[in-house]
Amino acid sequence: EAPKVSADEAVKFTNFLLSRKHTYDLKSAVYLVSALRILGRNSVQVPVAVTTEPQARIISAQKPSLKIFVSNVWGDTLKDMHLVAETVKEQSSTAATFISNQPFKSSSEAGMFEIDLMSAGSKLPRGFHVVKINVKPKTGAAKYVGLTGAIVPVKVITKVSVTDMDLTVRDRDQNVGGQVYKIIAGEKLSSTMKLGSHHRIELRFKLLDVQTNTPMTAHQVFVKWMHSKTGQEIIFIAEPDKANVYKFGMDIETKSKDFDYLSGTYSVDLIVGDAFVGNAQAWTFADAELKLPSGAPQAQAAGKTVAGSKRSPRIGEGPSKAKPEIKHVFKKPDKRADPLIAQLFTFICVVPPFIVMLVLWTNLNVNVSNFPFTYLPVYGFHGGLILIAGLYYCYWKFLNMFQTLFYLFFLVLFTFICGLLLLRRIASQRQSKS
């Protein structure tokens, strides 16, 4: 009997289950596998799965084909299928369509289909694209669901080449002329450039999309200077103009502070990278001997320069030595008073109040005749109180907190028992008199 769900509902339910396939709960995994097996191996409604490996979604001129595997959700190969790429366009709502209703070709592997996305009539530009695929069964089409509108994202990459690259060295007060070095991509100038604080350099080049033979821009274009002895680097960004011509200019005297005023031989590298470029560029195109002014040794030592604030160690120092280990030091205790003065102060704090207490007891006619001198717990109770006070003194002089708590436990227990026995005797005496 056919289930009481529509084809769209079956597709949505299947997509819901597949979104939970990365479960780590054993019970949930068993239910998921059971449901997918039922969906894939029934004779009424079989959802069709259009899948591809992540690496297969990267398209280039060297790997122009997109390979698609058609199966049910259980992974069984579906035979007698015909695939059509309904549309291939860039990943935006207003993008133009590059391919329309182009059929896939069957591969030698069962259930595998492929399409050439870089053919002469439909060469895709670099960027993200989406392929909308329809599946047409040759037989038994009634039992299959999810045959139309399968979306497969692809990424088209290209190769980049550096062209029209030249480096001009002129005096800083000149706008034209100067010595021009023509640089070939991947090669290095045979001679070392001599640059002083009175020079200004300007680097110009273009990035060419090899696939379309048109100028392009890249996300990351840097010019790196590296000192030959210290190995420290400073990197500048090359920016394109409106005609997509990259330029990098540097006034040696103005940028001296970025080099921490360190003269010497530097290697100059060009670095080009982009998410849609398959052959990132990075090579040393020149060596330059910089003679920089030594006008800011104080700033260099204090780390106040632009480069010094961004790097550690600074460019002129090389690797720094290990810093000394940080050890925690407790505050030294304050100096104690002279023992004679301390004892005199203790005597003044203890003896006079005790004498005052005895005088007050005499004036108030305090009756101590009922003190049970023959009952031992009374001595234990009062002695325990005195010992607790003495332990408090020892805590400040000799003991730590844990030792004090250990001794205090037994003293409190002994004092408590003696006090309990003393209170019981007093209560019994009062009861016998009444």
Side-chain angles (χ1 to χ4, degrees), residues 3-24:
K4 297 180 180 179
V5 294
S6 63
D8 292 339
E9 290 173 341
V11 171
K12 290 180 180 180
F13 180 64
T14 304
N15 289 332
F16 169 80
L17 292 176
L18 293 176
S19 66
R20 268 73 178 169
K21 64 182 180 181
H22 298 292
T23 180
Y24 297 98

Side-chain angles (χ1 to χ4, degrees), residues 75-94:
D76 297 328
T77 302
L78 299 180
K79 301 179 180 179
D80 298 329
M81 293 290 176
H82 180 68
L83 267 67
V84 176
E86 181 180 342
T87 57
V88 179
K89 59 182 181 180
E90 289 184 300
Q91 200 174 32
S92 63
S93 58
T94 59

Side-chain angles (χ1 to χ4, degrees), residues 197 253 256 260-263 291-300:
S197 59
E253 184 175 7
S256 295
D260 281 342
Y261 302 92
L262 179 66
S263 300
K291 189 175 182 180
L292 303 176
S294 56
Q298 295 86 1
Q300 179 179 350

Side-chain angles (χ1 to χ4, degrees), residues 59-77:
I59 306 300
S60 64
Q62 292 71 35
K63 196 182 68 172
S65 296
L66 172 65
K67 293 185 177 182
I68 298 294
F69 181 71
V70 180
S71 65
N72 57 29
V73 293
W74 186 244
D76 297 328
T77 302

Side-chain angles (χ1 to χ4, degrees), residues 395-408:
Y395 168 68
W396 287 103
K397 288 288 292 183
F398 314 111
L399 305 177
N400 57 39
M401 181 179 65
F402 299 102
Q403 292 172 330
T404 304
L405 290 176
F406 174 76
Y407 297 132
L408 183 63

Side-chain angles (χ1 to χ4, degrees), residues 120-378:
S122 59
K123 186 174 292 187
L124 301 181
R126 67 182 184 278
F128 290 107
H129 298 73
V130 291
V131 182
K132 189 175 182 180
I133 301 174
N134 295 334
V135 182
K136 298 180 179 179
K138 296 180 181 179
T139 58
K143 72 173 184 177
Y144 295 110
V145 297
L147 298 173
T148 59
I151 301 296
V152 177
V154 296
K155 176 183 176 181
V156 178
I157 62 175
T158 186
K159 286 190 174 182
V160 64
S161 64
V162 182
T163 61
D164 301 334
M165 187 174 181
D166 57 70
L167 179 64
T168 303
V169 180
R170 61 170 65 98
D171 290 339
R172 58 182 307 196
D173 56 352
Q174 294 180 347
N175 294 326
V176 295
Q179 186 175 3
V180 180
Y181 297 91
K182 294 293 184 181
I183 302 174
I184 301 175
E187 298 184 5
K188 180 181 176 181
L189 293 178
S190 58
S191 60
T192 301
M193 298 183 296
K194 308 289 185 179
L195 301 177
S197 59
H198 62 285
H199 283 132
R200 181 163 58 91
I201 65 173
E202 182 176 329
L203 178 67
R204 297 166 58 93
F205 58 91
K206 291 182 180 179
L207 300 181
L208 196 67
D209 188 335
V210 176
Q211 178 179 307
T212 61
N213 200 30
T214 57
M216 61 171 287
T217 58
H219 291 163
Q220 298 175 335
V221 181
F222 305 120
V223 178
K224 182 183 74 174
W225 296 68
M226 185 173 70
H227 196 274
S228 60
K229 292 184 178 180
T230 65
Q232 299 297 316
E233 304 172 351
I234 182 167
I235 298 176
F236 299 95
I237 300 175
E239 300 284 353
D241 59 12
K242 295 182 179 179
N244 289 338
V245 177
Y246 278 87
K247 297 180 180 180
F248 165 69
M250 186 176 73
D251 188 314
I252 303 300
E253 184 175 7
T254 303
K255 295 294 184 180
S256 295
K257 60 181 180 180
D258 291 343
F259 290 86
D260 281 342
Y261 302 92
L262 179 66
S263 300
T265 302
Y266 289 81
S267 61
V268 190
D269 296 8
L270 179 65
I271 302 173
V272 180
D274 192 275
F276 302 113
V277 169
N279 61 330
Q281 303 286 319
W283 89 92
T284 302
F285 63 86
D287 286 333
E289 184 178 340
L290 294 184
K291 189 175 182 180
L292 303 176
S294 56
Q298 295 86 1
Q300 179 179 350
K304 299 297 184 181
T305 62
V306 174
S309 64
K310 296 180 179 179
R311 290 191 298 268
S312 179
R314 291 181 291 279
I315 190 170
E317 296 180 348
S320 61
K321 296 181 179 179
K323 295 183 178 180
E325 180 183 358
I326 299 176
K327 296 183 178 179
H328 183 73
V329 179
F330 290 96
K331 180 184 177 181
K332 293 183 179 180
D334 295 333
K335 186 178 180 181
R336 293 180 178 271
D338 186 82
L340 180 61
I341 297 176
Q343 292 174 3
L344 179 61
F345 179 78
T346 304
F347 178 81
I348 294 173
C349 292
V350 174
V351 176
F354 183 74
I355 295 174
V356 171
M357 182 188 69
L358 295 178
V359 172
L360 291 176
W361 281 3
T362 305
N363 293 334
L364 295 174
N365 296 322
V366 174
N367 184 11
V368 295
S369 60
N370 291 329
F371 190 86
F373 291 99
T374 60
Y375 190 59
L376 292 179
V378 69

